[in-house]
Amino acid sequence: MQTFYLSHQNEIPAGFPDMVLALGYFDGVHIGHQEVIRTAAAIAAEKNCALGVMTFHPHPKVVLSPDTDENNMRYITPLPHKEDCLEREGPDYLFVVQFDKQFASQEPQEFVDHYLLPLQVVHVTAGFDYSYGRLGRGTMETLPFHSRGRFGQTVVGEVTQNGEKISSTAVKEYIRTGDVAKACSLLGRPYSIRGVVEGGEQRGRTIGFPTANIEKHHTYAVPQPGVYSVRIYVGGRWLDGAASIGFKPTFHDEAPEDPVIEVYIFDFNEDIYGWNVEVCFYTFIRGEEAFNSAEELIEEMNRDVEKARDALAAYPDVPGSS
Ligand SMILES: Cc1cc2nc3c(=O)[nH]c(=O)nc-3n(C[C@H](O)[C@H](O)[C@H](O)COP(=O)(O)O)c2cc1C
Ligand SMILES: Nc1ncnc2c1ncn2[C@@H]1O[C@H](COP(=O)(O)OP(=O)(O)O)[C@@H](O)[C@H]1O
C-alpha cells in the first residue's frame, strides 16, 4: 500500500491507474467500514482496476466544533492506527486528506473535481450516510450529479448486527461504558490502544503485581474505569493479562485528570519500560473499587486474574500481529 497525504495547499499527484475508491472517515475501521472497502475491492477486481481508500484527518469535529480540539478529541483509531487497519484491507493506495477549514468550506462540486477526478477514479463506494463539501451538502444522492457520469458509484446500505446499526458512535459508546466485548463484535477485532510503557508509582512490584503503565498522551477513547481481560503485544508476541483503568482510589483520595491504563502480564517478568505495546481489551471484569487495605486489593486482584484467564480462554485466536 502506498500512502499519500493530500491537502488543499498541495497539488494532487497524477499518473494513477484507473481506480475504484472507497470513501469514508473510517474511525475504527469497523465491520460496516470493512464492507465499504470490500465492496470496492470486489468491483476493482471485476474491472481489473487498482483499489484506493480515501479517508480524512482530523475528525471534522476538531475543525468545526468550538469545544473540541485535537487534544481532547477521542478516536477509536488515531490516524497511524487507522492507517494500519486500513492496510489490512489490502488497498493499493491510501489517501489521507487533511480536513481543515478550507477543506470543510469547499463546495461539493469542488471536492469531486479537485480530489476525485484527478485520481483517475472510475467508481466510488461509500456508506449510505457519507457526505462531502460545505455543510455536508454533498450526499450519495447528489454524487451522480457532481460526477457528471465520469465515474460510477455503489452505496453500501446500513450494516447491522442483531438489528443494531454498526457505527463509530455505537462502538465509542460501548467503549465508554466498558462493554469492550460488544465493541469487539462491532469492530470485528478487539478494541486496542497502542502506547509506550512508562514509569508509575513503583508500587506494583511491592504488592506482587507489577503493572506496565501505558503513556497518557494519546487520543484514544478510554474504556470506563475498571478491570478488563486483555492481550498485550510486547516484543513480537501476544501475552495474556489483566488491565486496570482508573485512579487507584485505594491509594489516592483525589482522582487525577486522566485515568491510568496499566496491565499486569501473566507469567512474565521483564523490564519493558520504554517499549511500544498494544493492549487489546476482551471483557469487562468489574468496576474500580476503593479497598480498605492493600491486602484486600491483592485478594481481589488474585480473583481478577482467575476471571481474566477464564475469559481469555473463550478467545483462543490471538490478534493479527501489531
Ligand atoms: C487486575 C488489577 C485490578 C486492580 N483493581 C484496583 C481497584 O479496584 N482499586 C484500586 O485502587 N486499584 C486497583 N488496581 C491498581 C493498583 O492499585 C495498582 O496497580 C498498584 O497500586 C500499582 O500501581 P503502580 O503501577 O503505579 O505502581 C488494580 C490493578 C490491577 C492490575
Ligand atoms: N508481569 C509483569 N507485568 C507487567 N510489568 C512487569 C511484569 N514483570 C515485570 N514488569 C516490569 O515492571 C514494571 C512495573 O512495575 P511496577 O512496580 O508496577 O512499576 P511502575 O509503577 O513504574 O509501573 C513494568 O513497566 C515492566 O517493565
Side-chain angles (χ1 to χ4, degrees):
M1 179 181 85
Q2 256 183 296
T3 303
F4 296 86
Y5 298 89
L6 308 183
S7 74
H8 237 66
Q9 291 79 22
N10 299 325
E11 185 91 359
I12 302 297
F16 291 102
D18 285 355
M19 195 180 323
V20 178
L21 189 70
L23 278 172
Y25 287 90
F26 299 132
D27 184 24
V29 197
H30 58 57
I31 288 179
H33 297 146
Q34 292 167 24
E35 182 67 25
V36 171
I37 300 166
R38 285 170 197 181
T39 302
I43 298 167
E46 203 179 283
K47 292 184 182 290
N48 203 15
C49 287
L51 173 64
V53 172
M54 180 178 280
T55 193
F56 306 87
H57 186 80
H59 193 279
K61 256 192 181 168
V62 171
V63 176
L64 304 175
S65 150
D67 323 322
T68 312
D69 61 32
E70 191 56 4
N71 294 319
N72 63 17
M73 181 63 206
R74 289 291 172 260
Y75 295 95
I76 306 166
T77 45
L79 184 59
H81 199 152
K82 178 162 82 173
E83 290 179 16
D84 289 350
C85 292
L86 291 172
E87 181 162 24
R88 283 190 195 158
E89 298 301 315
D92 302 295
Y93 302 104
L94 173 64
F95 303 99
V96 180
V97 176
Q98 169 81 23
F99 193 96
D100 53 20
K101 283 223 160 73
Q102 211 184 346
F103 181 81
S105 64
Q106 70 188 331
E107 292 301 328
Q109 186 69 62
E110 279 180 82
F111 170 70
V112 172
D113 290 350
H114 190 73
Y115 285 91
L116 301 185
L117 295 177
L119 297 177
Q120 261 342 81
V121 171
V122 299
H123 199 94
V124 307
T125 67
F128 69 100
D129 52 359
Y130 178 73
S131 65
Y132 57 96
R134 204 154 69 86
L135 304 172
R137 284 216 180 104
T139 64
M140 294 313 280
E141 273 87 49
T142 63
L143 190 57
F145 171 78
H146 292 128
S147 65
R148 303 186 299 273
R150 303 274 297 276
F151 55 78
Q153 70 179 64
T154 301
V155 182
V156 175
E158 198 167 86
V159 180
T160 58
Q161 199 174 70
N162 305 320
E164 181 192 10
K165 180 189 164 192
I166 296 178
S167 67
S168 300
T169 308
V171 174
K172 264 190 171 170
E173 191 55 16
Y174 284 126
I175 294 167
R176 193 184 66 76
T177 57
D179 194 345
V180 292
K182 207 68 209 287
C184 176
S185 67
L186 301 197
L187 286 170
R189 62 174 194 282
Y191 178 56
S192 70
I193 291 180
R194 294 178 179 172
V196 174
V197 176
E198 63 181 19
E201 295 167 325
Q202 312 215 331
R203 184 187 305 109
R205 67 197 69 180
T206 67
I207 59 174
F209 286 94
T211 53
N213 293 29
I214 313 303
E215 68 178 329
K216 281 192 179 166
H217 308 286
H218 61 72
T219 53
Y220 283 99
V222 177
Q224 72 151 51
V227 180
Y228 297 85
S229 64
V230 299
R231 284 200 172 105
I232 180 168
Y233 191 73
V234 194
R237 67 230 137 121
W238 286 97
L239 302 170
D240 289 358
S244 162
I245 296 180
F247 306 101
K248 305 184 243 185
T250 306
F251 304 103
H252 300 283
D253 292 334
E254 277 176 38
E257 211 176 310
D258 294 312
V260 173
I261 304 173
E262 47 180 337
V263 182
Y264 168 64
I265 308 168
F266 305 156
D267 313 312
F268 181 78
N269 184 18
E270 288 172 33
D271 179 347
I272 53 167
Y273 285 129
W275 288 44
N276 282 297
V277 296
E278 177 167 352
V279 182
C280 285
F281 294 88
Y282 284 82
T283 62
F284 176 77
I285 295 177
R286 66 172 172 89
E288 183 176 48
E289 282 175 53
F291 291 95
N292 292 322
S293 64
E295 289 67 35
E296 279 181 33
L297 169 64
I298 292 167
E299 272 177 37
E300 193 63 34
M301 285 165 101
N302 278 311
R303 283 191 282 272
D304 293 335
V305 169
E306 287 319 306
K307 285 181 192 157
R309 283 190 195 277
D310 287 349
L312 290 167
Y315 296 89
D317 296 334
V318 294
S321 64
S322 184

